[in-house]
Amino acid sequence: MNAQPAAATPAETRAELTRLSARGYTQLRHVLVQLPDRDKPRASTLAVMLHERKHRPLLLYIMLLTCWPWLKDRREPLEGAVWIRALTAKGGPTWSSSTLSRAWAELEQLGLVTKGKREKRLIRPVPRREDGGADYEMPGGRQDRWNAYFSLPDEFWNEELFAKLSLPALVMLLVVAKETNKKDEVWLTYDNVDEWYGIKPKSAQKGLTELQALGILSRRAEVVKAPLASHGRTVRMWYSLVGPYGHQARAAKQTLAKNERRKRLKFESKTATNPKDQA
């Protein structure tokens, strides 16, 4: 009598979900972090989720966007058990059918997903744009203020960083990743984090300290002249992500993905013109 094969583990499930996306990273629009109009309030989805303590919904939404490149074309929705298994890791938020259902409902209330019709008792959630202001489309190569995006590498899932971060640390990871999309480091103060992103100084401090302790964030102090300061100088703190989350590593992955896509499109165009090449 043959033994039953072992069931897929959470790590194997996450590895398969990211493999199917075939990029090596998730595309997240800047408007997840900050709205673009400088003459209007700039706090966006992250500030709301942090203020309302929506840790599970934020992770679920990012996972949905990670899977969307292939999930949008899948004939059947994913079962709830798959989402639960993919989001389960030691030290992270616990998941069950009820917490998953609640997280989907909270995302719907925030305008970040719409629930399609039930298909064989399964729900097919469809993402909306990261600020909840429009239907979702892949940002692609567009760089206008509503479609500019930054990348979150698959290591976030496959090395279980998502399970190690508190909600403030996750929020600040996304803030710094957004701000270092095209440069190595960003200057931040706790006050401007509040002004620019709607994130309270205490939460920003907690998140940045935690990221540094985990070895994901690096800080650089710069002494600059300050005529109105008591000593005539002040210190600016510059923040950068390191390892696979650093600007250079993320840019390299994006370049690789673009080159692979260009090769694939060229091949598809060639085989469409010369069907015999498919043989």
Side-chain angles (χ1 to χ4, degrees):
M1 183 175 179
N2 293 330
Q4 289 278 344
T9 66
E12 290 169 337
T13 301
R14 288 189 293 272
E16 181 65 6
L17 297 182
T18 54
R19 183 192 70 81
L20 289 170
S21 294
R23 267 203 200 100
Y25 57 88
T26 303
Q27 294 179 338
L28 298 171
R29 281 179 173 84
H30 289 189
V31 293
L32 175 70
V33 176
Q34 183 184 52
L35 296 176
D37 292 324
R38 295 181 181 276
D39 58 345
K40 297 179 181 179
R42 308 201 67 187
S44 188
T45 302
L46 276 191
V48 173
M49 290 184 137
L50 178 60
H51 178 71
E52 298 184 1
R53 300 180 181 179
K54 305 292 189 185
H55 195 174
R56 286 190 184 89
L58 179 55
L59 288 173
L60 181 59
Y61 182 66
I62 297 172
M63 176 62 83
L64 177 60
L65 296 188
T66 297
C67 298
W68 197 243
W70 59 269
L71 187 58
K72 61 183 173 59
D73 298 319
R74 195 173 191 264
R75 291 184 61 184
E76 296 181 353
L78 286 180
E79 294 186 25
V82 178
W83 291 107
I84 291 170
R85 190 166 61 249
L87 289 161
T88 296
K90 183 178 179 180
T94 57
W95 290 86
S96 65
S97 296
S98 60
T99 56
L100 178 67
S101 178
R102 192 180 309 127
W104 284 128
E106 289 172 333
L107 288 174
E108 189 174 27
Q109 291 169 3
L110 290 166
L112 294 173
V113 301
T114 56
K115 291 182 182 178
K117 295 180 180 178
R118 285 188 175 271
E119 302 175 27
K120 298 180 181 179
R121 297 188 297 178
L122 298 177
I123 296 173
R124 186 186 292 275
V126 176
R128 285 176 54 77
R129 196 175 66 194
E130 289 89 333
D131 65 323
D135 292 338
Y136 185 83
E137 296 179 355
M138 300 297 294
R142 293 174 290 175
Q143 290 296 318
D144 64 272
R145 60 182 183 160
W146 291 102
N147 289 294
Y149 68 89
F150 63 98
S151 63
L152 182 68
D154 287 350
E155 285 86 349
F156 175 77
W157 300 113
N158 295 329
E159 294 182 358
E160 299 188 357
L161 179 62
F162 76 96
K164 301 172 185 175
L165 300 181
S166 68
L167 180 56
L170 172 57
V171 165
M172 293 312 299
L173 171 69
L174 297 174
V175 168
V176 179
K178 179 257 187 189
E179 294 298 346
T180 58
N181 186 44
K182 292 186 177 181
K183 55 188 178 183
D184 290 330
E185 58 184 1
V186 60
W187 165 62
L188 294 174
T189 71
Y190 299 140
D191 287 337
N192 64 29
V193 166
D194 191 5
E195 179 185 355
W196 295 344
Y197 315 105
I199 297 168
K200 297 303 179 186
K202 187 175 180 180
S203 294
Q205 182 179 19
K206 182 180 187 299
L208 292 170
T209 300
E210 186 177 325
L211 292 174
Q212 188 176 18
L214 287 169
I216 300 160
L217 183 83
S218 177
R219 297 198 307 174
R220 178 177 69 86
E222 178 191 23
V223 179
V224 296
K225 290 182 179 180
L228 300 183
S230 59
H231 298 291
R233 60 182 181 274
T234 190
V235 177
R236 285 188 172 185
M237 298 304 303
W238 293 82
Y239 297 89
S240 59
L241 298 173
V242 300
Y245 304 94
H247 163 65
Q248 297 295 336
R250 289 186 290 138
K253 276 194 175 184
Q254 288 179 266
T255 298
L256 178 62
K258 288 177 183 177
N259 290 339
E260 292 296 327
R261 183 174 183 274
R262 191 177 298 114
K263 289 179 184 177
R264 185 173 66 253
L265 292 175
K266 184 177 180 180
F267 175 78
E268 290 173 355
S269 176
K270 182 179 178 182
T271 54
T273 305
N274 302 295
K276 292 182 179 180
D277 290 345
Q278 294 179 332

